Amino acid sequence: LLSKIAKVPYIGEATEEPFVYLTPGLQKKINEIIFWRFMCKLFDGVIVISEYLRCKFGQHVRKNVEIELIPIMVDIAQYARGDISPENWIAYSGTFNNYEEIKILLEQWYEVFRLYPDYKLVIIGDKNDSNYIKILKEINKLGITEGVFFTGRLGPSELANILKKSKVLVLPRKKARFSLAGLPNKLGEYLATGRPVLCTAVGDIPLYVRDGKEAFLVEPGNKKKFVEKLIYILNNYQEAEIVGWAGKKVAERYFNIEINCKKLLAFIDRLSN
């Protein structure tokens, strides 16, 4: 109503499946019905982060409403590593909300750490998260305390420095609604460093990178293959670095913050006019 009075476009924006984190039940169903059947009809345009969301919103918005796909935005210059030599670090960055993903990562790291005891899994995340204690217990249970290091919550420049100093960057995502609809910002940050990236092929990730070309991909849920790929990367690091540099080109082409901000402003201008 305010948009109509002000004569400005009413734009929807989605970086993940709406209500994906709500507990299943009646309230969630009511929210979804209201949103998809009624609220979506009000949008003059929609900005989405993935092909999944473009298709989903396309089924519910009014006819001829424009949907613009703008993926993650990364300050590429911040991740230029210069002549920084990597430490023996395997880095993971993210919130601790998805405890099951981190638990799987720790189980995989247990297999690798036995072969590479001089390496550390560096976990970047907020220690104040409620799942932090659960993660510590899992580490103690696996007996890999010496092979895991927590950085705590980092600012943008600190995060960039840790990623640039790491040898391999890992992103083990489960196949679920949140991962099918979203596109993790850390994928762009990882790729922008030019370091080898190992991730699961879920959602839009395979649309941007190919296995062994711009990143190393594993089907979600295949723990054994994830371990094998990580070991392969460490054993063939010069080859893996070539893949990492190709991944950096992907980040520069698709995730550059300047390019995507221009797309965003152009989209708003079109709707405003």
Side-chain angles (χ1 to χ4, degrees):
L1 180 60
L2 291 173
S3 295
K4 293 297 181 185
I5 293 171
K7 296 182 180 179
V8 296
Y10 181 48
I11 302 174
E13 181 265 351
T15 56
E16 57 189 14
E17 175 89 41
F19 314 113
V20 69
Y21 294 113
L22 284 186
T23 304
L26 180 61
Q27 185 61 51
K28 182 177 180 179
K29 287 183 178 179
I30 292 172
N31 285 343
E32 289 179 332
I33 290 171
I34 292 172
F35 182 81
W36 292 115
R37 292 190 184 179
F38 302 103
M39 288 188 67
C40 275
K41 305 300 181 189
L42 303 176
F43 293 137
D44 298 311
V46 182
I47 301 161
V48 297
I49 201 170
S50 66
E51 286 290 347
Y52 175 98
L53 289 172
R54 174 151 50 190
C55 293
K56 186 75 178 276
F57 276 87
Q59 298 169 9
H60 297 280
V61 295
R62 303 191 313 274
K63 188 178 179 180
N64 298 327
V65 164
E66 191 175 351
I67 301 174
E68 183 76 7
L69 195 160
I70 300 179
I72 48 189
M73 298 189 186
V74 178
D75 183 356
I76 301 295
Q78 191 173 39
Y79 290 87
R81 69 178 199 232
D83 58 354
I84 295 176
S85 297
E87 305 283 347
N88 286 346
W89 296 346
I90 311 298
Y92 167 85
S93 171
T95 68
F96 296 160
N97 289 340
N98 299 315
Y99 167 72
E100 288 302 320
E101 281 190 0
I102 299 176
K103 183 175 182 291
I104 291 169
L105 175 60
L106 292 172
E107 291 169 354
Q108 293 164 336
W109 178 240
Y110 167 77
E111 301 292 338
V112 179
F113 183 58
R114 292 189 301 171
L115 301 174
Y116 294 90
D118 55 334
Y119 277 73
K120 282 192 181 294
L121 175 64
V122 177
I123 299 179
I124 305 165
D126 191 351
K127 292 183 182 181
N128 292 320
D129 190 285
S130 58
N131 282 325
Y132 175 63
I133 300 301
K134 290 173 66 176
I135 295 168
L136 284 181
K137 288 180 179 178
E138 186 65 24
I139 291 169
N140 290 330
K141 176 183 170 184
L142 292 168
I144 54 174
T145 306
E146 293 182 358
V148 181
F149 174 73
F150 288 90
T151 66
R153 187 174 182 177
L154 300 179
S157 61
E158 294 172 308
L159 169 63
N161 285 333
I162 291 291
L163 296 183
K164 288 186 287 188
K165 287 181 180 178
S166 300
K167 221 163 198 178
V168 186
L169 307 170
V170 292
L171 178 55
R173 282 169 73 81
K174 292 170 60 180
K175 189 174 183 178
R177 286 179 69 186
F178 76 89
S179 56
L180 289 172
L183 185 65
N185 206 62
K186 57 193 166 191
L187 174 66
E189 294 166 345
Y190 284 6
L191 293 171
T193 66
R195 298 295 185 200
V197 175
L198 172 60
C199 57
T200 44
V202 66
D204 275 17
I205 291 176
L207 299 181
Y208 295 99
V209 293
R210 298 166 295 172
D211 181 35
K213 300 294 184 180
E214 297 87 14
F216 295 90
L217 301 182
V218 178
E219 62 271 20
N222 194 332
K223 298 180 186 179
K224 182 180 177 183
K225 196 68 176 178
F226 198 94
V227 170
E228 289 175 353
K229 279 280 176 83
L230 182 51
I231 292 172
Y232 178 85
I233 292 169
L234 296 177
N235 286 339
N236 302 273
Y237 196 70
Q238 285 188 324
E239 176 190 332
E241 281 234 286
I242 296 172
V243 175
W245 281 115
K248 182 176 177 64
K249 299 295 182 184
V250 169
E252 292 170 348
R253 181 178 179 183
Y254 294 107
F255 307 141
N256 188 304
I257 192 169
E258 294 181 8
I259 293 172
N260 285 334
C261 278
K262 287 177 182 177
K263 284 178 63 178
L264 175 60
L265 292 172
F267 176 68
I268 295 171
D269 283 343
R270 287 200 303 275
L271 294 184
S272 299
N273 294 330

